[in-house]
Amino acid sequence: MNAILDALALTGRAVIGAFRATGRLALFALSGLSHLLRPPFYGRMFLRAFVEIAYFSLPVVALTAVFTGMVLALQSATGLSRFSIESAVASLVVLSVTRELGPVLAGLMVAGRVGAAMAAELGTMRVTDQIDALATLSTNPMKYLVAPRLLAGIIALPLLVVVADLLGVLGGFIIATLKLGFNPGIYLANTVDFVQTGDVVSGLVKAAVFGFLIVLMGCYHGYNSRGGAQGVGSATTSAVVAASVLILAFDYVLTELFFAR
Amino acid sequence: MPDLATPKIRLRGLTKRFGDKQVLDGIDLDVMPQTSMVVIGGSGSGKSVLIKCILGLIEPDEGAIEIDGQDVLKLDRRGREAAAARIGMLFQNGALFDSLPVWENVAFGLLARHKASRAEARARAGDILAQVGLAASVGELSPSELSGGMQKRVGLARAIAARPDILFFDEPTTGLDPIMGAVIDGLIVDCVKKLGSTAIAITHDMASARRIGDRAAMIHKGRIIWEGAAADLMDSGNPMVDQFTHGRREGPIEMELRK
């Protein structure tokens, strides 16, 4: 009987803990977003975060996109040849990249690079009292540290995904024309004919949501880190893992919203 | 003329509990205007939590925190922000913003509060750095390029930059050699006197406590167990204070090695 009660108590505590953590995260997100609407605004902090996310993530996102496009063309050509519909390679590449792989892979790359860096920076600021120091200098830490980063994430990710879309298609084009023998003009015509505005826009909306999630996780775990270097380390890990899982989960939810009939 | 008869800071029944640990257990303390109060006590006795409660960084469970007779816990958000803006704080490790150059650290509060232009704030930062014995050229350095003593000076410069009427010092001499500790203490005393501020310092350093403080109080297990003149610290007549100030192993204070 006691074992059953213990198990129930354990389950109850876990459920309550999960709700509590979700509530804390939701309040943190709402607080960060609300500061975007109320002055003062910290333009320099926004620019710094924007450059960090958009500009410095460009190489890794670009490389990922090119190679993904190349692999996609190669794989789809061999796969589609079984059904004698190799001509669908161009459409498959462009739809896969714009709808799915562009935003998801860019999101995962940025989560690893930027989410970790934000968690480490804010975590270090927390354990060295810099966040408390901000508060003593008439500066709301949420407004100064979190809100500009959230805005930068929401704007920067879609821009990165535009680049990823173009380079992903370029990667597919290179393999299709140079290795698989496709006619360049026909390949490009197929690409343009099959892609619709909705495909690109859905990818960009996903990117904006992923950008928000990456920054939210980085800031939340860093801001609430405790316990010195080890605490900062686990905040960084948690930020990347949580952002990656949330990107994949929200990818499904958004795909369901956009494309499910 | 400032009212020198009313306590600048008045704490009554301040309590704070973290989980099952009672950190502050009914703190009563008066700090008179333009005086320096030194709070001593062992590690984990609640000194830092006390200061963070007054600063508004931690919400106490019960009690009153009056500044100039006004209970700040009853103020709305704007009122509390206004009260906090009158307080300058020197953190134990400096807590300098390592992403900003030294001058911007010093001028941070000026930029945030007074909407000074960056050029004005930069020039003012140079003046304030001079007050703590640093050349204006130090302003161009990054905090990571400074020694521990210089970081404390920059932290002090940042704390006094907005000319606050209340100053808090958290372990101002920790990590410094005795000479640099004395230099920092001297700067603190000069700054407090020049600004006419009221100060609270928490420290383990008895030499520092006697140099900085006019009054002293000892906190133990979340309660003030002694209060008197800082000059009497080494000969207070209170067995707990005497054990602490003389660093005796034997006495009424038992070290909690594990809890």
Side-chain angles (χ1 to χ4, degrees):
Chain A
M1 188 63 188
N2 278 346
I4 294 171
L5 285 177
D6 286 347
L8 283 174
L10 207 64
T11 311
R13 271 197 292 272
V15 171
I16 290 169
F19 275 110
R20 192 179 289 154
T22 309
R24 269 201 300 263
L25 177 61
L27 287 175
F28 186 87
L30 283 176
S31 170
L33 288 173
S34 74
H35 282 295
L36 283 176
L37 308 172
R38 289 179 284 147
F41 305 111
Y42 295 100
R44 294 169 69 88
M45 293 303 287
F46 165 75
L47 277 178
R48 194 182 142 214
F50 183 79
V51 168
E52 180 61 37
I53 300 171
Y55 183 71
F56 289 114
S57 300
L58 206 49
V60 69
V61 169
L63 281 173
T64 308
V66 169
F67 286 120
T68 302
M70 291 165 75
V71 168
L72 209 52
L74 209 52
Q75 285 279 21
S76 55
T78 52
L80 295 173
S81 67
R82 294 177 193 170
F83 307 99
S84 303
I85 47 171
E86 297 96 323
S87 57
V89 167
S91 53
L92 195 144
V93 168
V94 72
L95 291 184
S96 304
V97 167
T98 54
R99 282 184 174 196
E100 208 52 52
L101 294 172
V104 170
L105 291 178
L108 291 175
M109 289 297 124
V110 174
R113 216 189 72 77
V114 175
M118 282 184 184
E121 185 179 353
L122 266 63
T124 305
M125 289 186 75
R126 167 62 71 194
V127 300
T128 56
D129 289 332
Q130 290 180 52
I131 291 181
D132 283 347
L134 276 175
T136 67
L137 293 165
S138 299
T139 302
N140 187 313
M142 288 294 291
K143 193 182 282 294
Y144 184 78
L145 296 173
V146 179
R149 284 173 165 86
L150 282 175
L151 184 63
I154 291 168
I155 295 174
L157 246 287
L159 295 177
L160 279 172
V161 166
V162 169
V163 176
D165 287 352
L166 291 172
L167 291 177
V169 170
L170 176 68
F173 175 80
I174 290 168
I175 291 299
T177 54
L178 297 182
K179 187 174 170 61
L180 302 173
F182 280 71
N183 178 291
I186 294 173
Y187 186 92
L188 283 181
N190 279 344
T191 299
V192 175
D193 286 347
F194 274 95
V195 73
Q196 294 178 351
T197 312
D199 300 322
V200 178
V201 169
S202 68
L204 298 183
V205 172
K206 281 183 179 181
V209 173
F210 297 165
F212 171 75
L213 292 172
I214 292 164
V215 175
L216 179 66
M217 288 299 113
C219 290
Y220 177 75
H221 288 284
Y223 198 90
N224 294 299
S225 69
R226 293 280 183 276
Q230 194 179 14
V232 176
S234 39
T236 307
T237 308
S238 302
V240 176
V241 171
S244 303
V245 171
L246 283 175
I247 283 172
L248 297 173
F250 272 77
D251 183 43
Y252 171 75
V253 172
L254 292 171
T255 304
E256 187 82 32
L257 281 176
F258 284 125
F259 300 110
R261 303 204 189 282
Chain B
M1 280 292 287
D3 176 7
L4 298 179
T6 308
K8 185 78 177 174
I9 301 169
R10 188 168 184 267
L11 309 179
R12 285 295 176 269
L14 208 61
T15 65
K16 181 66 190 177
R17 172 184 284 274
F18 293 112
D20 58 357
K21 184 166 171 55
Q22 188 77 44
V23 181
L24 301 181
D25 189 12
I27 294 277
D28 294 334
L29 188 68
D30 289 348
V31 185
M32 300 308 286
Q34 299 180 8
T35 63
S36 294
M37 168 69 76
V38 174
V39 179
I40 62 169
S43 301
S45 59
K47 306 185 298 294
S48 294
V49 173
L50 175 68
I51 275 193
K52 287 186 175 181
C53 283
I54 305 172
L55 275 168
L57 298 173
I58 293 177
E59 190 77 12
D61 298 331
E62 284 175 46
I65 300 171
E66 291 178 15
I67 295 179
D68 287 330
Q70 190 171 36
D71 188 350
V72 292
L73 298 176
K74 291 181 178 158
L75 296 176
D76 60 8
R77 185 176 58 83
R78 281 179 189 278
R80 282 201 192 194
E81 283 174 1
R86 297 165 55 198
I87 304 175
M89 169 87 183
L90 171 60
F91 286 85
Q92 183 175 350
N93 54 17
L96 301 178
F97 306 127
D98 41 26
S99 59
L100 301 176
V102 164
W103 80 263
E104 215 167 330
N105 266 280
V106 174
F108 197 96
L110 295 176
L111 289 165
R113 285 171 190 155
H114 301 309
K115 310 290 179 194
S117 72
R118 289 178 68 78
E120 289 165 353
R122 193 176 196 140
R124 179 94 180 95
D127 295 341
I128 300 163
L129 283 170
Q131 286 179 38
V132 296
L134 292 174
S137 59
V138 173
E140 305 306 318
L141 300 176
S142 157
S144 60
E145 296 176 83
L146 306 179
S147 67
M150 287 170 88
Q151 288 192 13
K152 291 275 186 185
R153 288 180 192 229
V154 174
L156 178 60
R158 185 175 69 181
I160 63 170
R163 307 184 67 80
D165 53 358
I166 298 171
L167 277 162
F168 289 162
F169 305 102
D170 186 358
E171 307 279 4
T173 56
T174 297
L176 301 179
D177 64 69
I179 297 172
M180 183 53 74
V183 169
I184 295 292
D185 286 342
L187 285 170
I188 286 173
V189 171
D190 286 349
C191 291
V192 169
K193 292 242 183 305
K194 207 175 285 178
L195 292 173
S197 304
T198 305
I200 297 182
I202 57 179
T203 184
H204 291 119
D205 180 345
M206 289 308 116
S208 173
R210 281 176 292 155
R211 281 193 294 255
I212 296 175
D214 301 312
R215 304 278 301 166
M218 178 157 169
I219 187 167
H220 179 64
K221 292 188 174 174
R223 287 178 162 274
I224 301 286
I225 57 161
W226 177 83
E227 192 190 336
D232 296 338
L233 261 177
M234 302 305 287
D235 188 21
S236 67
N238 181 306
M240 284 188 171
V241 179
D242 286 347
Q243 183 192 354
F244 186 82
T245 54
H246 291 93
R248 295 189 192 116
R249 287 172 61 190
E250 305 298 327
I253 302 174
E254 290 177 14
M255 291 302 292
E256 291 174 7
L257 297 177
R258 186 165 174 269
K259 185 151 187 180

